[in-house]
Amino acid sequence: MRITRGPRSRTALVLGLAAGIASANVDRGTGAADREAADSEAAASLRLVLNTAAYRLHVYENGERIRSYRVAVGKPGHRTPRGAYHISRVIWNPWWHPPNRPWARGKRPVPPGPRNPMGRVKLYFRNLYYIHGTPYRRSLGRPTSHGCVRMANADVIELARLVHEHGSPNVPRSLIDRLVANPRMTRTIWLQRPVPFRVVARRAEVFDGRLEVYAGAHGDRPGLKAEVLAALADAGLDAQELDARRIEHVLRMAGEGDVSVPLSTLRAPTAAGPALG
């Protein structure tokens, strides 16, 4: 078996996976409020899902994932709050005003510009919490913020344009173009139709034809296995087609770092198929 390692001890395994899909309740929303939020998201033409375990923000349009952005999320002690929210307004070229928090004591406001920690645009989803740009690209893919979601400036501009197309179609595209062209022109735009935004922490998901299992699985093999099986079930893989030995191997490797498995190799080997190894 060939194993390659990359940033964050990422482990790409060219092997297969898994048998018996058991039911699992992993960030699925079992209460009435969660079901109502899920129904609302399903009805929306645009919705956003942040997976804090993956450091990725996924964008869905009419039920199809059309974008996936690398982001930074809240660090220990300042975790990005899980739950169902809505993007209600967009602030272009924002000022940064120090929040009333101990970590911001003594700091001064920062005007729009290349040193602004909010970047080119921020999207409000909860009091004092935003999806926003950042000049610190090296922080992406890590838990480094005080709870907000950081994105590369080019990515957050692209995301904001999508949000305006769906949430505020009355806003002229020429105005958005001017805001992009003038990094010191501050403008707040409230959305006519707020865009659903959900924050989850899924250590396993199917992405671009692969099963992705993220680091942080130490000491919780049963829970991680349930998440892996749930992700495979959501992807439509039949339990009868999968190999239990390969699940266990992936779970062992997940204790060392991220694991990426092509969906094409998840099925149990057949007499005519390739040997495992």
Side-chain angles (χ1 to χ4, degrees):
M1 187 187 319
R2 179 169 58 85
I3 299 172
T4 59
R5 301 181 186 276
R8 298 181 60 239
S9 298
R10 187 180 184 84
T11 305
L13 303 179
V14 183
L15 46 74
L17 223 273
I21 291 192
S23 62
N25 238 342
V26 183
D27 282 309
R28 295 177 181 277
T30 55
D34 285 334
R35 287 195 297 271
E36 183 177 345
D39 291 343
S40 173
E41 291 173 12
S45 58
L46 185 77
R47 61 187 178 92
L48 313 179
V49 178
L50 170 68
N51 186 353
T52 58
Y55 306 112
R56 283 194 175 275
L57 177 65
H58 303 307
V59 182
Y60 294 86
E61 188 175 45
N62 298 320
E64 178 183 355
R65 182 157 52 190
I66 61 169
R67 301 281 193 284
S68 185
Y69 298 109
R70 195 72 163 165
V71 302
V73 299
K75 58 188 174 182
H78 300 277
R79 299 292 191 189
T80 303
R82 298 187 203 177
Y85 308 98
H86 285 83
I87 305 298
S88 59
R89 65 181 184 265
V90 180
I91 303 94
W92 285 89
N93 304 311
W95 280 70
W96 180 72
H97 295 282
N100 184 21
R101 296 287 189 270
W103 63 265
R105 190 172 295 124
K107 296 183 181 293
R108 296 183 178 183
V110 180
R115 297 179 181 274
N116 190 297
M118 294 284 103
R120 292 298 311 278
V121 59
K122 63 182 184 180
L123 299 87
Y124 175 95
F125 68 91
R126 174 175 161 171
N127 188 34
L128 297 180
Y129 289 93
Y130 302 88
I131 302 168
H132 66 79
T134 180
Y136 311 116
R137 291 182 62 93
R138 291 184 179 180
S139 69
L140 302 180
R142 295 189 291 164
T144 56
S145 78
H146 289 95
C148 287
V149 183
R150 297 179 185 172
M151 301 178 63
N153 277 317
D155 289 345
V156 80
I157 288 172
E158 181 180 74
L159 176 64
R161 284 186 181 274
L162 278 170
V163 166
H164 281 306
E165 287 177 13
H166 289 264
S168 55
N170 61 314
V171 175
R173 181 173 296 181
S174 59
L175 171 59
I176 305 303
D177 290 340
R178 290 200 303 273
L179 291 167
V180 173
N182 187 348
R184 298 188 183 277
M185 179 182 177
T186 301
R187 181 69 62 90
T188 298
I189 301 175
W190 287 82
L191 302 183
Q192 286 181 306
R193 297 193 292 266
V195 173
F197 174 53
R198 180 174 285 269
V199 180
V200 300
R202 294 173 181 156
R203 294 174 297 173
E205 63 179 350
V206 173
F207 177 67
D208 281 352
R210 303 179 71 88
L211 172 70
E212 306 284 348
V213 184
Y214 306 110
H218 302 281
D220 185 26
R221 284 277 292 278
L224 180 63
K225 183 175 182 179
E227 293 186 49
V228 165
L229 295 176
L232 292 172
D234 286 345
L237 294 182
D238 190 331
Q240 303 303 317
E241 300 177 72
L242 305 175
D243 189 327
R245 297 173 303 162
R246 298 177 178 183
I247 288 183
E248 295 303 322
H249 189 89
V250 167
L251 294 175
R252 288 195 298 272
M253 297 309 300
E256 301 178 15
D258 292 356
V259 177
S260 179
V261 184
L263 290 184
S264 61
T265 64
L266 302 186
R267 291 172 176 80
T270 63
L276 176 64

